Amino acid sequence: QVQLVESGGGLVQPGGSLRLSCAVSRSIVDYYAIGWFRQAPGKEREGVACISSSYSGTRYVDSVKGRFTISKDNADTVILQMNSLKPEDTAVYYCASKLFRSPGIPCSFYDYNYWGQGTQVTVSS
């Protein structure tokens, strides 16, 4: 059974930082890619950052480029380092895994097969 567990969310002031962790029940290399997604109330779930398992290529949504970094911490953990946080980053953040190979590094929610329960990130003064 595949399990993904997110941790590290919380309340932070604008300009602050948070570090999200995604623990994967199997080795990261068992999947084609791991991604971080977010969903704010009334909005569609969007891909924030995705990383390929084999060669560590990455892809980011434009709104977080230069502020967020996705990386592999060890064989079964993916990190999302979030700096210079803005109120519009407030959302529930999910990590997800993609089983099957496809061109490039997909980062749309419909490409991913397994999901964690999510962790709340709130950016507010």
Side-chain angles (χ1 to χ4, degrees):
Q1 183 178 357
V2 177
Q3 287 186 320
L4 300 98
V5 179
E6 304 95 338
S7 62
L11 173 64
V12 64
Q13 292 187 341
S17 298
L18 281 175
R19 187 175 186 260
L20 303 184
S21 294
C22 174
V24 183
S25 62
R26 290 158 51 178
S27 175
I28 293 171
V29 297
D30 287 344
Y31 307 98
Y32 178 68
I34 304 291
W36 281 98
F37 300 79
R38 65 187 178 187
Q39 189 165 20
K43 294 189 176 181
E44 188 174 90
R45 190 170 297 189
E46 70 168 347
V48 175
C50 298
I51 186 167
S52 69
S53 301
S54 59
Y55 61 97
S56 296
T58 57
R59 183 172 179 177
Y60 297 90
V61 68
D62 286 346
S63 60
V64 308
K65 286 180 180 177
R67 301 188 297 123
F68 291 11
T69 303
I70 188 171
S71 62
K72 292 182 285 186
D73 189 38
N74 53 41
D76 59 4
T77 304
V78 173
I79 302 296
L80 183 67
Q81 178 66 42
M82 305 188 295
N83 299 327
S84 302
L85 282 161
K86 304 175 181 180
E88 51 264 43
D89 294 318
T90 296
V92 178
Y93 283 69
Y94 301 88
C95 71
S97 61
K98 175 177 168 54
L99 272 178
F100 303 112
R101 185 180 184 87
S102 61
I105 306 171
C107 209
S108 297
F109 70 89
Y110 48 80
D111 286 314
Y112 283 71
N113 307 102
Y114 299 101
W115 293 82
Q117 293 299 307
T119 185
Q120 177 70 45
V121 171
T122 302
V123 185
S124 175
S125 55

